[in-house]
Amino acid sequence: MSDIPLVLLHGTNAGPWTMAPFKKFFEEAGFACHAPTYRFHDLADGEERRKALIGTSIQDYVADTVEFIRTLDRPPIVIGHSLGGLIAQILSGRGLIEAGVLINSSIMAGTTPTTDMERALGRMFMSAGAFWQEAPGQDFELLAAYGLNTMPEIQQHEICDRLSTESGEVLFELFFWMYDQKQATQVVFDGRNAPMLFLTGGEDKVVPPSTARQMAARYGDLAALQEYPGKCHYMQLEDGWQELASNSLVWIRETVSRKNI
């Protein structure tokens, strides 16, 4: 089992540090873990980063991840948070991964909002002008309300202060997939898809459990879903994250072993 590489993918505005607890946990469980980043996300905040990110697409991040995966000896297990979960799903549709663990995965094309807060978030982006032509930073009030809402305020600030700018084109592709001509968030279902474990935070306001269930249903018997009451969008950084990691390890051992019988 531990000869299967494990790749950890982070979300928007972030970097590999948001996956550090899971990386350490799985390394101690005997896995060879890798935590790559997407293009330009290693640049510090500033004009160089902003200019580089403008116009960058999820398709570019997928391409970066595919290039990295091709350096491995075999298809990996992918653990992805938010955007990283969506990228794991896209890779699965191409037959490139062994299995996926999705921590509050961003939505794929065809997934519709199921809550008023999701719809309100979409309206906020609509009122932000041509944000897809920019590289917006992370707004603390918005993040605290939607992504870190179950954390102490001091931890909310600590996380927000480490987040950075993100491609507005990527945000457009995520929230307005129905208008995206590239269909960058499309997941192919053609028989090559890998098993998926959806981990959903009961208090996640970005991708609530009702929306996660809508995605998981697309996979039929290939998907399992575990809901964690009281947890937010960044639950891999919350107190009690060990429960998520332990349950993920159990699922990986059971699912991947059964798949390879």
Side-chain angles (χ1 to χ4, degrees):
M1 173 64 67
S2 58
D3 63 332
I4 302 177
L6 196 150
V7 174
L8 300 104
L9 299 177
H10 61 81
T12 61
N13 301 86
W17 61 270
T18 58
M19 305 302 291
F22 265 60
K23 184 173 184 289
K24 184 174 186 292
F25 177 92
F26 278 92
E27 285 175 339
E28 291 175 351
F31 286 84
C33 294
H34 310 271
T37 192
Y38 315 127
R39 67 183 64 184
F40 310 130
H41 282 62
D42 55 346
L43 296 175
D45 263 340
E47 191 65 8
E48 180 186 4
R49 177 184 172 113
R50 188 189 72 81
K51 287 182 176 179
L53 282 171
I54 291 174
T56 304
S57 167
I58 291 171
Q59 291 180 332
D60 297 316
Y61 299 168
V62 171
D64 295 340
T65 310
V66 169
E67 182 178 1
F68 177 79
I69 284 176
R70 295 200 188 282
T71 68
L72 304 176
D73 293 335
R74 57 177 296 180
I77 296 164
V78 174
I79 300 179
H81 171 241
S82 194
L83 172 62
L86 171 62
I87 291 175
Q89 294 188 68
I90 294 170
L91 297 173
S92 168
R94 299 182 184 182
L96 295 175
I97 68 174
E98 189 79 19
V101 176
L102 316 177
I103 305 171
N104 291 321
S105 174
S106 297
I107 63 172
M108 68 174 86
T111 307
T112 54
T114 59
T115 67
D116 287 342
M117 284 198 74
E118 287 175 279
R119 288 183 276 271
L121 185 58
R123 287 196 299 271
M124 288 180 204
F125 277 106
M126 289 178 189
S127 65
F131 67 89
W132 54 88
Q133 297 175 359
E134 299 295 334
Q138 184 65 69
D139 178 80
F140 174 76
E141 297 299 330
L142 192 62
L143 181 65
Y146 275 86
L148 308 175
N149 45 300
T150 59
M151 291 182 178
E153 185 174 353
I154 187 169
Q155 188 181 15
Q156 292 176 339
H157 281 286
E158 288 171 351
I159 292 174
C160 188
D161 288 348
R162 294 191 69 179
L163 297 175
S164 192
T165 48
E166 183 56 83
S167 164
E169 180 71 12
V170 165
L171 299 175
F172 174 81
E173 291 165 349
L174 287 174
F175 286 94
F176 301 104
W177 55 261
M178 66 291 295
Y179 303 121
D180 174 27
Q181 293 178 321
K182 300 187 297 296
Q183 287 294 282
T185 64
Q186 186 74 46
V187 175
V188 175
F189 291 88
D190 64 359
R192 294 183 294 172
N193 302 81
M196 291 288 169
L197 174 61
F198 286 79
L199 306 180
T200 177
E203 294 301 319
D204 183 4
K205 306 304 181 185
V206 181
V207 188
S210 51
T211 303
R213 283 192 287 270
Q214 185 185 149
M215 275 192 289
R218 297 284 302 277
Y219 289 87
D221 293 340
L222 280 175
L225 185 144
Q226 297 176 4
E227 181 176 343
Y228 292 85
K231 298 297 185 183
C232 68
H233 190 65
Y234 276 82
M235 60 184 179
Q236 82 276 19
L237 297 177
E238 277 192 282
D239 287 344
W241 64 265
Q242 294 89 343
E243 180 184 7
L244 281 71
S246 296
N247 291 344
S248 299
L249 178 58
V250 169
W251 179 86
I252 286 170
R253 284 175 170 162
E254 292 177 350
T255 304
V256 176
S257 295
R258 186 166 59 246
K259 180 182 176 187
N260 289 307
I261 291 175

